[in-house]
Amino acid sequence: MKLFSEYVKSYNLNLENASGFFDAVSDLYFSPQVQSLKQYEQHFEIDRLQHVTSVSYLSYVIAEKLGWDSRIIARGSLLHDLNYYDWRDGDGEWHRPHGYKHPIFSAYNAIELNKEITDIEIEMIKCHMFPLTLRLPKHKEGYILIFADKYCANREVLYSFSKSYKKKFDKLIKG
């Protein structure tokens, strides 16, 4: 498995090229709540829906490779940034500091969206900002999410600030 190749693939997922992934997450992914994340900027030029999709897909692929429960990992990862606001807005600052608070908001929203969410998925969401929050995961699944989230965030920032990287990456995702 080449991580970067899978990351590139996450920008062109569909029911044919990622059927196992969509089998695991389609009820959540196609919900109005998750689809609404497209309207929010996540990391500069990347919207939140693309970010959670990339993180979830990479988490799924890694879990499959390790023989772990890829369904739980993909679902928890998809919901890790389930926040319905732009943290950059100065709307009373109720969500500041975002980096510390949003995992709890995401967990609450995930529970509202999916009444059958597992304790492992909730814990993954609450711990995904480690080491910033100093909240270590209790389960191995949380570590995959932390890794995939940081990997994707770094790629997204690089995409937004490096013209040469952006040009090469856009060529890759267009095939």
Side-chain angles (χ1 to χ4, degrees):
M1 169 186 65
K2 296 201 176 190
L3 196 59
F4 182 69
S5 298
E6 297 297 337
Y7 176 71
V8 171
K9 184 178 175 182
S10 75
Y11 280 74
N12 291 308
L13 296 178
N14 59 53
L15 295 172
E16 292 174 22
N17 70 6
S19 61
F21 171 71
F22 281 110
D23 286 346
V25 301
S26 64
D27 61 318
L28 301 173
Y29 182 82
F30 294 110
S31 71
Q33 295 89 332
V34 172
Q35 289 297 305
S36 77
L37 299 179
K38 185 157 186 58
Q39 69 185 303
Y40 302 109
E41 177 185 328
Q42 183 70 10
H43 296 117
F44 306 100
E45 295 187 35
I46 306 299
D47 66 66
R48 193 167 303 149
L49 178 60
Q50 183 58 59
H51 171 73
V52 299
T53 302
S54 294
V55 171
S56 180
Y57 181 71
L58 276 188
S59 296
Y60 172 84
V61 169
I62 293 167
E64 284 281 301
K65 187 77 170 171
L66 294 173
W68 294 2
D69 190 331
S70 57
R71 183 177 194 277
I72 282 180
I73 291 171
R75 292 171 73 80
S77 297
L78 185 68
L79 303 176
H80 82 279
D81 279 334
L82 191 62
N83 296 293
Y84 312 119
Y85 62 85
D86 184 342
W87 63 271
R88 294 163 193 84
D89 288 345
D91 61 353
E93 311 279 326
W94 59 270
H95 50 74
R96 304 263 183 204
H98 172 76
Y100 296 95
K101 289 184 175 181
H102 84 272
I104 301 304
F105 298 149
S106 296
Y108 174 82
N109 291 335
I111 292 165
E112 288 298 303
L113 174 62
N114 178 17
K115 298 299 184 197
E116 293 160 16
I117 193 168
T118 68
D119 290 342
I120 292 173
E121 292 165 325
I122 294 167
E123 189 251 345
M124 288 172 63
I125 295 165
K126 287 181 177 178
C127 296
H128 84 270
M129 286 303 290
F130 180 82
L132 179 66
T133 60
L134 300 177
R135 186 179 191 144
L136 272 168
K138 295 175 189 158
H139 303 95
K140 62 186 178 185
E141 294 83 358
Y143 289 95
I144 290 180
L145 171 54
I146 290 168
F147 171 77
D149 186 38
K150 303 311 178 256
Y151 181 88
C152 292
N154 279 293
R155 288 285 175 185
E156 292 160 7
V157 170
L158 184 60
Y159 178 86
S160 298
F161 289 109
S162 171
K163 289 180 184 177
S164 62
Y165 177 84
K166 182 177 185 172
K167 187 175 181 179
K168 289 176 190 173
F169 189 80
D170 285 345
K171 240 185 221 182
L172 288 172
I173 62 173
K174 289 180 180 149

